[in-house]
């Protein structure tokens, strides 16, 4: 049973650069979620997809952030013109359509220098 | 809006001690409640859940009971092990949002010494 996978696990970038993260959900899961976790805090919701449709976005998701799930399978999260405040762990989760239980991937830790 | 409040850590215990981590919530609907655990450098793992009042979730010796009257979901374990050292997050999922998001507490770090 393959869980949620995320790549890369770690990313170090310079301020102003663009970065892209990938999430592969559990294969039969229709819903995919992105969260951001800063040091010492719980994860905060960013956005979620049902199949390929992006159904909800948090106000935390500024214009520099964009997420896609083009074929309803994997998803990408892109951050343009990164800032030091973007340094965080970016977590992806997935769930089935008729369940409230989300399963998380290992996360991508972003460090912006 | 929805919110989750957890006791601040770190909680420091000796092996075989009894553990309680308090969690209370505020929600507009009738939420599902979860405990997740995060080991250093890793993502979150679902520990247990409960979906209605008086339900008890349990896993790996951990238990939590959904108390609607006190809006609480405290995590307990009778005898902790060193391997239980991790950060524990209480979370809720609100049916009013179509269960589309999880709202987390800030987490409670547990340190267990031999």
């Amino acid at each position: 049973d393959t869980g949620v996978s995320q790549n890369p696990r770690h990313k170090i970038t310079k301020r102003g650069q663009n970065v892209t993260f990938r999430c592969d959900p559990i294969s039969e899961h229709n819903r995919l979620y992105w969260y951001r976790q800063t040091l010492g805090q719980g994860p905060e919701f960013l956005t979620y997809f049902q199949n390929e449709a992006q159904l909800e976005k948090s106000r935390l998701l500024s214009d520099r952030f964009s997420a896609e799930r083009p074929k309803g399978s994997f998803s990408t999260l892109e951050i343009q013109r990164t800032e030091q405040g973007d340094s965080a762990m970016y977590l992806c989760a997935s769930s089935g359509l008729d369940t409230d239980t989300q399963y998380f991937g290992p996360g991508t830790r972003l460090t912006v220098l | 809006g929805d919110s989750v409040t957890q006791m601040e850590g770190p909680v420091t215990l000796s092996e075989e001690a009894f553990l309680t981590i308090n969690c209370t919530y505020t929600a507009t609907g009738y939420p599902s409640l979860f405990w997740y655990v995060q080991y250093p450098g890793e993502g979150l793992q679902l520990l247990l859940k409960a979906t209605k009042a008086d339900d008890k979730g349990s896993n790996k010796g951990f238990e939590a009971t959904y108390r609607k009257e006190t809006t609480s979901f405290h995590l307990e374990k009778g005898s902790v092990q060193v391997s239980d050292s991790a950060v524990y997050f209480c979370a809720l999922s609100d049916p009013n949002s179509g269960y589309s998001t999880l709202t987390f507490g800030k987490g409670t770090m547990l340190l267990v010494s031999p």
Side-chain angles (χ1 to χ4, degrees):
Chain A
D1 183 21
T2 305
V4 178
S5 61
Q6 293 186 246
N7 287 288
R9 293 291 307 274
H10 303 274
K11 179 70 176 179
I12 299 173
T13 191
K14 293 182 179 179
R15 189 176 51 188
Q17 297 296 304
N18 299 344
V19 294
T20 300
F21 311 139
R22 176 178 170 129
C23 171
D24 288 88
I26 294 171
S27 59
E28 64 270 24
H29 283 180
N30 304 89
R31 292 183 170 177
L32 186 149
Y33 312 79
W34 286 98
Y35 292 82
R36 182 174 69 186
Q37 184 182 21
T38 54
L39 199 62
Q41 301 296 316
E44 295 175 293
F45 170 75
L46 292 178
T47 188
Y48 107 94
F49 293 83
Q50 183 164 304
N51 299 313
E52 66 275 10
Q54 188 172 17
L55 296 187
E56 191 171 343
K57 293 194 290 186
S58 162
R59 56 183 167 77
L60 293 176
L61 210 67
S62 76
D63 292 344
R64 297 184 296 105
F65 287 69
S66 63
E68 293 182 343
R69 194 183 184 198
K71 296 183 179 179
S73 56
F74 72 91
S75 175
T76 58
L77 177 68
E78 181 183 17
I79 309 174
Q80 296 183 328
R81 304 181 303 282
T82 52
E83 301 173 355
Q84 287 186 326
D86 296 332
S87 296
M89 175 81 88
Y90 290 84
L91 295 165
C92 176
S94 70
S95 73
L97 194 57
D98 296 322
T99 176
D100 54 9
T101 302
Q102 297 180 24
Y103 296 89
F104 283 80
T108 294
R109 181 166 295 283
L110 173 66
T111 302
V112 182
L113 302 176
Chain B
D2 297 343
S3 66
V4 175
T5 303
Q6 294 180 232
M7 62 187 289
E8 289 197 18
V11 173
T12 305
L13 296 173
S14 297
E15 204 165 26
E16 299 184 2
F18 184 84
L19 168 70
T20 300
I21 300 178
N22 291 338
C23 170
T24 57
Y25 68 89
T26 302
T28 53
Y30 199 156
S32 295
L33 301 174
F34 304 83
W35 278 99
Y36 282 85
V37 58
Q38 187 174 36
Y39 297 99
E42 298 185 11
L44 278 70
Q45 297 177 24
L46 178 65
L47 184 58
L48 53 85
K49 63 178 277 191
T51 57
K52 60 183 187 294
D54 301 325
D55 262 5
K56 178 184 283 188
S58 61
N59 186 26
K60 299 180 182 179
F62 291 90
E63 293 183 340
T65 301
Y66 192 143
R67 300 290 188 198
K68 190 172 189 302
E69 64 277 12
T70 54
T71 62
S72 64
F73 193 53
H74 305 321
L75 183 68
E76 296 182 336
K77 187 176 186 183
S79 176
V80 294
Q81 305 300 311
V82 172
S83 57
D84 293 327
S85 297
V87 180
Y88 292 80
F89 292 94
C90 185
L92 69 82
S93 178
D94 193 334
N96 287 350
S97 68
Y99 298 111
S100 62
T101 66
L102 285 169
T103 300
F104 286 89
K106 291 187 175 183
T108 303
M109 179 178 288
L110 170 65
L111 300 171
V112 181
S113 57

